[in-house]
Amino acid sequence: MNSLLPIAAVSLGWIITGYPFAYLTANDRYERLGLAFLLGGGLTTVCWFIAYNLGFSLTIFSYTVVAIITWITGYVLSHRHKVTVTSKKDNYQNIDIFLIAVVVLALLSAFLIGSYNPLTAWDSLALYDFRAHAIAIDHNLKFMENSIYYLSYPLMISLSHALVYMIGGVSAQGLHAIFFASLIVVVYARLKEWTNLRFALIGAVLIAYSYQLFEHATFAYTNLPYVTYLIAGFCYLLSGKFKHVITGSLLIGLSSWIRISEPFWLLALPIVIWEAWKRKSLLQLLPLGLIFAVRYIWLSYYSPLMANLATAGVDGEKYSLDNIPRIINSIPAVISYLRTYIVYPYHGYWTMLIPISVFCFQTKNSRLIWLTVLSILTFGVVAGGVMIFSGFYTTWDQIGDSAKRMILYIVPLALVSGVYALYLRYDRGYGKNN
Amino acid sequence: MIYILAAILSLAMAGLETFSYEGFVGRHLGISAQYMYLASILLSLAGTANLSPTFKKTVLWLSLITTAGYIASIFTESITYPNFIFSRTHINLLTFQTFLFLSVFHAMVINRRKFLLPFLIALLVYVGGEGVGKTLGSMYRGIRTIVSDPTASYDSKMDKAYPGFYTAMQLIKELTPQSATIYIPPQANPWETEGNGAMVTYFLYPRKVLNGPLEGAPKVDKDTYIMIAKGSWKRTGDIDYGWPKVTIDANRIWRFDTQTKILTELTNNYDPKRDAWDWGLIEADYE
């Protein structure tokens, strides 16, 4: 377990650097910690990458300088915008304490298991963690600049792992349980603001004990951190205030810093536009810039390198309208693929959309409507994406497990939607008195 | 009343299929159980007659017991092996999950909840029950592994995950400079691990890793080393174990005993007939 201290050090560093930014958004102290971890990790690794592109090596020294500058920026911003803390003391009953205990148990277990087990998952060894080791050895990214495979994903997770290795850790896998903890804390805090303590805890328990997410918290893939930033981002976007929209947009942008091929970041755009339309202010569209800025930081590095390396699609296919007949012919196979890898593994969650959709009509609650629309659009985006893929890649149907992992975020999205819908229809005034 | 009958019938069918298989009712009684489930759910819209509090409480308790039983079954299955529960109790967990959904749904309807709320709660229990059972199983398995050997080193854990291969990688790292080029077997059976360039690169970086030819010697340059590998995968094709398959001029060759982590160094050339070891390394002679 000789990686515990390095992981703790990296996590603490992220929380410290991210705290001033989290202070601007969150009133709840636990929410601040979870949000600080996410913002600190995302912002410092992005800035570290920018520093590399400006000519600095990827060392602990350069990271520390970047982290200090990031913290100072956050400190100045938070000092200029004083936040009035209005959180009220929660009245915990025995059942609430029990629910908190079971969540803590799950998180501690995930952390212990992830920290104890060695890194053996294929994509970790071949890609994410390999890049981390290479960065920790070379302190640059030259090793990946001639490889389409190593360039295929952005660098947040690899840089995070590299930090652990640079300060003496042997395995960075335990960090992923802390991403999981941040997801639960942020979702809990958002649900608490939207509903009440009890419903927030029910949501937290359901997410902590969704086995798909729990297992991902015990190995070093990028899917869980991606889900964390995406769901946290959507939760903030739907929280109403402009500061939340800014934070949500930043988190969505940072999700692209983990995985950029997935198109789910697009689903944030209509929400931001709608919020701006509600407030009748074009300035409220500025958070969109945060999403595009983070994406641009990676794409401006990646695209020229890929242009040199890649000549056509992976299987030698050219992108052209001639592939449309193939797409049409693939429709039965696409339907079968979607049923096997997208619908069936998560059929309980997809089915929740039925009662939740009806609740949307009954309650006319805009947040619930958006959560439902996000789920429906997710399916649409995935179905459309798979159809297009089928036209250009002959091996499109051989990576079903990858598709299953890609859609993992439907689990917390459906659970948040379900718990929120339940509150809207079931609340007996518990929240009003609590 | 008709709703109560439908609910009881749907639960009875789900119960039957829980102790057999999905489709049992359709096969033996000629009616699809799924239609009965759907009918009972839709008939709940008609509302429930005045039912006794005792009946309502009983139904609620039954759904709670079913939930607990389902979670316990899923947990037990996840800490033993797939199909354990069916093999011991004849309970089919897939159809048991359907029974769980129906029991929670009907219990909520009977306790005077309108259709949608029971539907949502039943779905949350449906996914939540499976999640809790499997997560607890995952926790148990993980913690059990930790408790069995809490002070195990990272090396010993990796050795367990990749027996032979991991130790061979560590020994190659010790014996070769960081600027070395390491030739590994072609990525084919029976060298699917040790012939995997990405896998070997993970352990040997910054050394350059290249796949050698199946027959013939790899191209030799300064600081070139060649892995000796019998093949850690079971042979499934025509290619025989052992690589390289030709003699190679060497400054030194090493035989690895990955069980005891002992190296044996020899100063002769590599001869596949004599040096067909499980693991080893050749320092190629370059002039």
Side-chain angles (χ1 to χ4, degrees), chain A residues 109 116 118-120 122 125 129-130 133 138 143 170 209 211 214-215 347 355 358-359 418 422 426 428, chain B residues 113 116-117 119-121 123 126-127 131-132 134-135 138-139 146 149 154 157-158 162 196 199 201-202 205:
Chain A
S109 303
Y116 179 88
L119 260 147
T120 53
W122 169 251
L125 292 184
D129 202 57
F130 164 70
H133 280 290
D138 296 340
F143 69 92
V170 172
Y209 284 83
Y211 69 94
F214 179 86
E215 284 180 2
H347 62 277
V358 179
F359 284 147
L422 199 63
Y426 195 65
R428 286 175 168 176
Chain B
R113 295 286 165 201
L116 280 175
L117 205 53
F119 195 48
L120 180 59
I121 292 173
L123 281 169
Y126 180 87
V127 301
V132 169
K134 285 187 177 175
T135 302
S138 196
M139 281 162 59
I146 297 171
D149 195 356
Y154 194 79
K157 285 180 264 185
M158 283 299 270
Y162 298 108
N196 188 307
M199 185 79 141
T201 301
Y202 176 80
Y205 188 84

Side-chain angles (χ1 to χ4, degrees), chain B residues 9 56 70 148 171 179 186 209 228 230 238 264:
Chain B
L9 209 54
K56 289 184 198 177
Y70 176 74
S148 69
L171 291 171
S179 57
V209 172
I228 300 169
K230 178 188 171 187
D238 295 332
T264 307

Side-chain angles (χ1 to χ4, degrees), chain A residues 241-255:
Chain A
K241 296 197 174 87
F242 185 55
K243 62 178 183 176
H244 294 135
V245 175
I246 294 175
T247 303
S249 301
L250 187 53
L251 288 167
I252 299 284
L254 288 170
S255 74

Side-chain angles (χ1 to χ4, degrees), chain B residues 63-279:
Chain B
S63 71
L64 286 172
I65 291 166
T66 305
T67 306
Y70 176 74
I71 292 173
S73 303
I74 289 284
F75 170 73
T76 307
E77 178 110 333
S78 67
I79 63 168
T80 48
Y81 52 84
N83 244 13
F84 172 83
I85 292 292
F86 188 77
S87 64
R88 298 299 175 96
T89 65
H90 226 272
I91 291 175
N92 181 317
L93 287 175
L94 286 174
T95 40
F96 191 5
Q97 196 178 17
T98 307
F99 181 83
L100 170 70
F101 171 82
L102 289 168
S103 69
V104 172
F105 175 79
H106 291 307
M108 300 293 303
V109 170
I110 285 165
N111 279 275
R112 300 293 296 272
R113 295 286 165 201
K114 296 229 172 111
F115 169 76
L116 280 175
L117 205 53
F119 195 48
L120 180 59
I121 292 173
L123 281 169
L124 284 169
V125 173
Y126 180 87
V127 301
E130 187 188 17
V132 169
K134 285 187 177 175
T135 302
L136 287 174
S138 196
M139 281 162 59
Y140 175 84
R141 289 195 316 271
I143 301 295
R144 185 178 60 187
T145 305
I146 297 171
V147 164
S148 69
D149 195 356
T151 57
S153 67
Y154 194 79
D155 283 342
S156 68
K157 285 180 264 185
M158 283 299 270
D159 209 24
K160 241 188 217 169
Y162 298 108
F165 172 74
Y166 179 74
T167 302
M169 293 297 105
Q170 299 307 298
L171 291 171
I172 292 175
K173 254 174 82 166
E174 280 174 27
L175 292 169
T176 57
Q178 291 195 352
S179 57
T181 298
I182 315 285
Y183 278 99
I184 61 175
Q187 188 176 357
N189 180 267
W191 309 285
E192 295 185 51
T193 300
E194 52 273 35
N196 188 307
M199 185 79 141
V200 175
T201 301
Y202 176 80
F203 293 103
L204 298 185
Y205 188 84
R207 296 154 190 80
K208 195 171 170 186
V209 172
L210 297 169
N211 288 100
L214 178 60
E215 307 286 348
K219 188 178 162 204
V220 165
D221 206 332
K222 188 168 177 276
D223 281 341
T224 299
Y225 295 78
I226 302 159
M227 186 194 292
I228 300 169
K230 178 188 171 187
S232 60
W233 283 59
K234 190 170 182 298
R235 188 180 154 206
T236 57
D238 295 332
I239 302 172
D240 205 354
Y241 291 111
W243 190 85
K245 295 194 183 294
V246 294
T247 54
I248 293 175
D249 293 339
N251 293 328
R252 293 177 285 182
I253 62 175
W254 293 271
R255 180 180 183 168
F256 300 163
D257 184 339
T258 54
Q259 301 281 336
T260 59
K261 298 183 179 37
I262 291 174
L263 293 169
T264 307
E265 183 178 309
L266 302 162
T267 50
N268 43 254
N269 292 333
Y270 170 78
D271 181 349
K273 291 191 181 70
R274 182 192 61 220
D275 307 321
W277 306 322
D278 285 356
W279 301 99

